[in-house]
Amino acid sequence: MRVAFAGTPEFAAAVLRGLLEAGYEVGLIISQPDAPRGRGRRKTPPPVATLAREEGLPLLQPQDISRVAGEILRHDVLVVAAYGQILRPDTLYAARHGAYNVHASLLPAYRGAAPVERAIMNGEKETGVTIIRMDEGLDTGPIALQRCIPIPPEMTGGELAGALARLGAEAMVEVLKRLQDGTLNLTEQDSERATYAPRITPGDQEIDWSRSAREVHDRVRALSPHIGARARHPEVEGPIKIWRTRVHREGGSPLGVGEIRAEEGRIFVGCGEGVVEVLELQLPGGRRLGAGEFLRGHRLGGALRG
């Protein structure tokens, strides 16, 4: 079975590695164009493009994937994982068996761009991956396979994405095997049960300290280690990024909402219900620091706000 693959970030690269390790012939890899990244804003290839070059595999990076629909036509199936563009019909149906997508949720829950972060922010206890045969809707295609995993209470968005990528690779390999031997069955989604996971916005990064300690902690870990939750302090120009927390106390709080207490190298912040301990934070223009190291060089009193 000749496979074409479309994907961009590390999540997609992990899925691609799984296909290669399973022995699939990936005759074409499509990824987004190189883009400016980091402080120097140097053009950098996305992880999938980097992997393709390391493996010596055919790579295309079009501005519009429809431009390479003719290349996809030569393959039996198009595998898609976090590619980053909407696929039009000329691309969706170009391969003989169509396009199959790895989505990081248990569809029809969390359709959309940020299923990993939204699941953690909402305090979900489990999630998973769904392989769908793509259609022209937003994550609406029929389900080929689903796999579940728990979300431990301290797991970050980055850790969950990595676990789901590995699970997604295994699930996609199973789907391709079934597709090849003619045993693949598809199940239509129940769209009445659909929920949505829109892209993370700057507003989503702001911490609302009037929420419970558990909700604050879930937001912080959902956005770690790449996006970052944000808080503001009257004596600091610009947002402070909060990278790691833990729930210190649930229920009532001896601290006011957003009130800071720093003692013995530890930072505690009051919430609407309970207290969180801030373990790692970053001032604007600075580097990430553990609470103890931060307090050796900075004073932090008063209160934080979103």
Side-chain angles (χ1 to χ4, degrees), residues 27-40:
L28 174 65
I29 296 173
I30 306 163
S31 191
Q32 296 278 36
D34 296 357
R37 289 179 176 83
R39 290 189 177 182

Side-chain angles (χ1 to χ4, degrees), residues 51-72:
L51 178 58
R53 289 168 180 154
E54 289 172 352
E55 297 292 331
L57 297 171
L59 171 68
L60 296 174
Q61 294 178 270
Q63 293 289 343
D64 182 350
I65 192 172
S66 292
R67 295 179 182 177
V68 299
E71 297 293 328
I72 297 170

Side-chain angles (χ1 to χ4, degrees), residues 3-221:
V3 177
F5 182 89
T8 300
E10 182 54 43
F11 178 92
V15 174
L16 176 58
R17 285 189 199 98
L19 297 182
L20 297 174
E21 290 169 2
Y24 279 94
E25 178 188 356
V26 183
L28 174 65
I29 296 173
I30 306 163
S31 191
Q32 296 278 36
D34 296 357
R37 289 179 176 83
R39 290 189 177 182
R41 307 304 292 164
R42 293 181 60 184
K43 275 201 169 185
T44 306
V48 165
T50 297
L51 178 58
R53 289 168 180 154
E54 289 172 352
E55 297 292 331
L57 297 171
L59 171 68
L60 296 174
Q61 294 178 270
Q63 293 289 343
D64 182 350
I65 192 172
S66 292
R67 295 179 182 177
V68 299
E71 297 293 328
I72 297 170
L73 190 64
R74 303 173 187 175
H75 295 78
D76 295 307
V77 64
L78 172 63
V79 172
V80 182
Y83 176 60
Q85 286 185 26
I86 294 174
L87 274 60
R88 295 199 293 268
D90 58 351
T91 306
L92 279 174
Y93 309 119
R96 184 163 64 95
H97 291 292
Y100 284 78
N101 180 60
V102 184
H103 188 75
S105 80
L106 298 173
L107 292 171
Y110 294 106
R111 293 174 175 175
V116 172
E117 294 86 355
R118 298 289 179 184
I120 295 178
M121 289 164 103
N122 290 341
E124 300 285 2
K125 300 298 189 292
E126 72 169 13
T127 186
V129 293
T130 304
I131 311 298
I132 60 170
R133 187 179 68 191
M134 299 178 71
D135 61 15
E136 295 167 47
L138 175 65
D139 301 323
T140 57
I143 294 171
L145 192 66
Q146 287 189 319
R147 291 286 184 266
C148 301
I149 59 170
I151 307 176
E154 303 303 319
M155 179 176 265
T156 67
E159 291 165 345
L160 181 56
L164 290 173
R166 293 187 291 272
L167 188 64
E170 295 171 6
M172 183 59 78
V173 167
E174 180 64 26
V175 165
L176 293 180
K177 287 178 181 176
R178 295 182 189 181
L179 187 63
Q180 195 165 9
D181 63 24
T183 61
L184 182 64
N185 294 313
L186 301 174
T187 305
E188 294 297 328
Q189 294 187 43
D190 181 358
S191 291
E192 291 185 0
R193 295 173 46 240
T195 59
Y196 294 89
R199 191 177 304 278
I200 299 297
T201 67
D204 293 318
Q205 295 177 252
E206 303 293 339
I207 298 173
D208 180 356
W209 298 100
S210 69
R211 298 282 189 175
S212 71
R214 176 61 57 186
E215 290 174 300
V216 169
H217 174 63
D218 287 346
R219 184 166 298 265
V220 170
R221 68 190 180 100

